[in-house]
Amino acid sequence: MAIASTSTLIFSCAKPDLPPTPSHFRFSSPSPLVSQLRSRSLTTHDPISLPGLIGTGLVAATFMAGGHDSTAMAAVDALQLSEPANALSLPTWAVHVSSVVEWITAMALVWKYGERKGYESWKGLSWGMVPLLGGALCACTWHFFYNAESLEVLVALQGALTVIGNITLCIAAFRINKSTSKMESPEEP
């Protein structure tokens, strides 16, 4: 009942009764658009609000007439997805996917930096990031299948790839440090 009465109030009310605007805020002559908006009110004769009012009323009447156990309520319940309790929420999925995309972007940017500046060691950093990307994909795959026990090997693989990735990044950082040290220190005769 509240849905129908609220929609009726919203869509069929007359122009709101607002307090007058002080004279120092008024324009000398309002634009034609402002005049048109001021004169227009939402009524049932308005072709825009009439379908909205009718549609809202029909939906509300369907749900109110059928009661709690009606076919309409059963149809709404059938549309809801049933996921296990360990399913990731939409914001968590957004973090997972955006992190993978960010990591791939970082790899590409590091590679381009190495190419443009002529630093091969920076390309090595990009290669060193690959195992960690594999670990991230293992985690996303495992979560996609609702942390299935049959795929628990992915958890072990993710851990192994994380260790390997940390080692390869450490080696890449050492190579970058070594190559920049050579460029900074002048060679002695």
Side-chain angles (χ1 to χ4, degrees):
M1 186 67 178
I3 295 173
S5 62
T6 304
S7 64
T8 304
L9 178 67
I10 291 172
F11 288 112
S12 65
C13 66
K15 189 170 29 172
D17 187 20
L18 300 174
T21 307
S23 60
H24 60 279
F25 285 109
R26 290 188 189 165
F27 295 106
S28 58
S29 62
S31 69
L33 179 62
V34 172
S35 299
Q36 183 182 7
L37 289 174
R38 284 183 185 165
S39 66
R40 184 177 177 180
S41 64
L42 288 174
T43 63
T44 54
H45 302 291
D46 187 356
I48 295 173
S49 65
L50 187 59
L53 177 62
I54 292 171
T56 305
L58 288 175
V59 170
T62 303
F63 283 107
M64 289 186 303
H68 179 67
D69 296 329
S70 71
T71 310
M73 290 302 282
V76 170
D77 289 339
L79 291 176
Q80 294 178 353
L81 298 176
S82 59
E83 292 185 332
N86 62 353
L88 297 184
S89 66
L90 187 61
T92 306
W93 269 116
V95 168
H96 277 65
V97 172
S98 64
S99 296
V100 171
V101 170
E102 180 182 356
W103 194 257
I104 293 169
T105 304
M107 290 172 62
L109 291 173
V110 166
W111 185 272
K112 283 184 180 181
Y113 178 76
E115 275 186 343
R116 288 190 180 167
K117 298 291 184 175
Y119 301 144
E120 291 296 317
S121 58
W122 282 88
K123 288 183 180 180
L125 178 64
S126 186
W127 279 112
M129 295 169 78
V130 170
L132 292 167
L133 176 63
L137 294 176
C138 286
C140 288
T141 303
W142 190 57
H143 290 314
F144 182 78
F145 291 105
Y146 302 115
N147 308 340
E149 289 181 24
S150 61
L151 296 176
E152 282 190 9
V153 68
L154 290 176
V155 177
L157 182 60
Q158 178 199 7
L161 287 172
T162 300
V163 170
I164 293 168
N166 288 341
I167 293 169
T168 56
L169 283 182
C170 186
I171 293 168
F174 176 75
R175 289 183 63 221
I176 290 171
N177 185 30
K178 188 176 170 184
S179 69
T180 54
S181 297
K182 284 182 185 177
M183 287 187 273
E184 289 176 0
S185 64
E187 293 184 27
E188 299 200 19

